[in-house]
């Protein structure tokens, strides 16, 4: 298998990006992050990328007429960087068919809940408000919906008495970081395949 060329889309602090950069630097993941793109100029993730000598680009959705135009700008930059797979890591925009067609079946996301429970923003707060005793994180393919694409892998996290959004989020992030790197290593090994049947597309992870 050849080294996986990644483009990472971010909006925030970038701890998932950091986990990926660390795994690459330590030889645990056969990948190269070709570019990190943020829609926010003050995203902490940008500094993490710079520290790792990864090219960064700020592309603000506010500078584009609509979501399709914004996605076209993302596609142009990702393609110019030679990206094969697009990794959303705390990227707070919904992608359109413009990007999803350009990178068909090669866009993934991480979500801090056990999808299909608690999609969208504030997943940890939704889980606490509902009173679930177990939550977790999900890595999934991105489709045109909100956190609705085929699920690749999930990890559970027990909700503790007295958990706040902050304490739960911190424990979730630990699992997110490990899970995202693990899934990317499966992709690098060519082991992740989409399977369509009975009106639904699901994911099969082939054995090593
Ligand atoms: C993570 O909880 C991720 O699941 C969600 O946004 C958060 C991003 O955190 N999509 P970070 O920017 O990777 O630290």
């Amino acid at each position: 298998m050849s080294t996986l060329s990644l483009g990472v889309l971010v909006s925030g602090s970038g701890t998932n990006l950091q986990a990926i950069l660390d795994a690459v630097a330590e030889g645990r993941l056969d990948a190269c992050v070709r570019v990190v793109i943020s829609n926010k100029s003050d995203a902490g993730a940008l500094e993490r990328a710079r520290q790792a000598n990864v090219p960064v680009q700020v592309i603000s959705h506010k500078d584009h007429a609509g979501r399709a135009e914004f996605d076209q700008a993302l596609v142009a930059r990702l393609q110019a960087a030679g990206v094969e797979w697009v990794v959303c890591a705390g990227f707070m925009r919904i992608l359109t068919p413009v990007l999803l067609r350009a990178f068909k079946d090669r866009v993934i996301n991480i979500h801090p809940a056990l999808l299909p429970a608690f999609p969208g923003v504030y997943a940890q707060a939704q889980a606490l408000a509902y009173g679930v005793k177990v939550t977790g994180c999900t890595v999934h393919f991105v489709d045109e919906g909100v956190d609705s694409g085929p699920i690749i892998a999930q990890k559970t996290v027990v909700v503790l008495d007295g958990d706040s959004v902050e304490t739960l989020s911190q424990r979730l992030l630990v699992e997110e970081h490990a899970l995202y790197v693990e899934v990317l290593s499966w992709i690098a090994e060519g082991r992740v395949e989409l399977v369509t049947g009975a009106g639904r597309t699901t994911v099969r992870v082939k054995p090593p």
Side-chain angles (χ1 to χ4, degrees):
M1 285 294 150
S2 59
T3 300
L4 203 59
S5 288
L6 305 176
V8 184
L9 305 183
V10 296
S11 302
S13 72
T15 64
N16 278 287
L17 168 67
Q18 189 69 59
I20 294 165
L21 292 171
D22 290 348
V24 170
E26 291 162 18
R28 288 181 283 120
L29 175 61
D30 186 14
C32 174
V33 180
R34 301 273 178 206
V35 66
V36 170
I37 304 176
S38 174
N39 64 317
K40 296 198 179 262
S41 59
D42 60 353
L46 292 169
E47 187 50 32
R48 295 177 188 273
R50 288 190 194 103
Q51 289 290 330
N53 290 318
V54 172
V56 300
Q57 178 99 46
V58 176
I59 303 177
S60 174
H61 53 283
K62 294 178 184 159
D63 294 340
H64 294 84
R67 292 203 290 144
E69 289 82 356
F70 172 63
D71 275 14
Q72 193 53 60
L74 295 179
V75 168
R77 188 65 185 85
L78 290 164
Q79 288 179 338
V83 165
E84 296 169 285
W85 281 76
V86 179
V87 178
C88 300
F91 185 61
M92 301 302 284
R93 307 295 302 171
I94 295 169
L95 296 171
T96 71
V98 171
L99 191 143
L100 296 175
R101 274 201 285 265
F103 291 92
K104 186 168 162 37
D105 298 336
R106 283 176 293 131
V107 185
I108 60 173
N109 181 45
I110 189 153
H111 182 75
L114 293 176
L115 293 170
F118 313 129
V121 291
Y122 309 121
Q124 303 91 335
Q126 292 184 57
L128 287 175
Y130 197 96
V132 294
K133 305 305 178 197
V134 176
T135 184
C137 53
T138 304
V139 177
H140 63 95
F141 281 98
V142 177
D143 65 10
E144 290 169 41
V146 177
D147 302 321
S148 57
I151 290 169
I152 305 172
Q154 297 182 303
K155 264 193 185 165
T156 56
V157 170
V158 171
V159 180
L160 303 177
D161 281 348
D163 251 340
S164 63
V165 169
E166 288 69 31
T167 58
L168 180 57
S169 297
Q170 282 310 316
R171 294 205 310 288
L172 281 164
L173 278 171
V174 172
E175 300 302 331
E176 287 183 40
H177 300 160
L179 188 65
Y180 225 175
V181 169
E182 189 174 16
V183 166
L184 284 165
S185 73
W186 297 344
I187 291 171
E189 291 163 11
R191 292 169 50 201
V192 174
E193 66 179 16
L194 286 160
V195 182
T196 301
R200 177 168 285 281
T201 299
T202 58
V203 172
R204 188 174 96 90
V205 180
K206 291 184 272 187

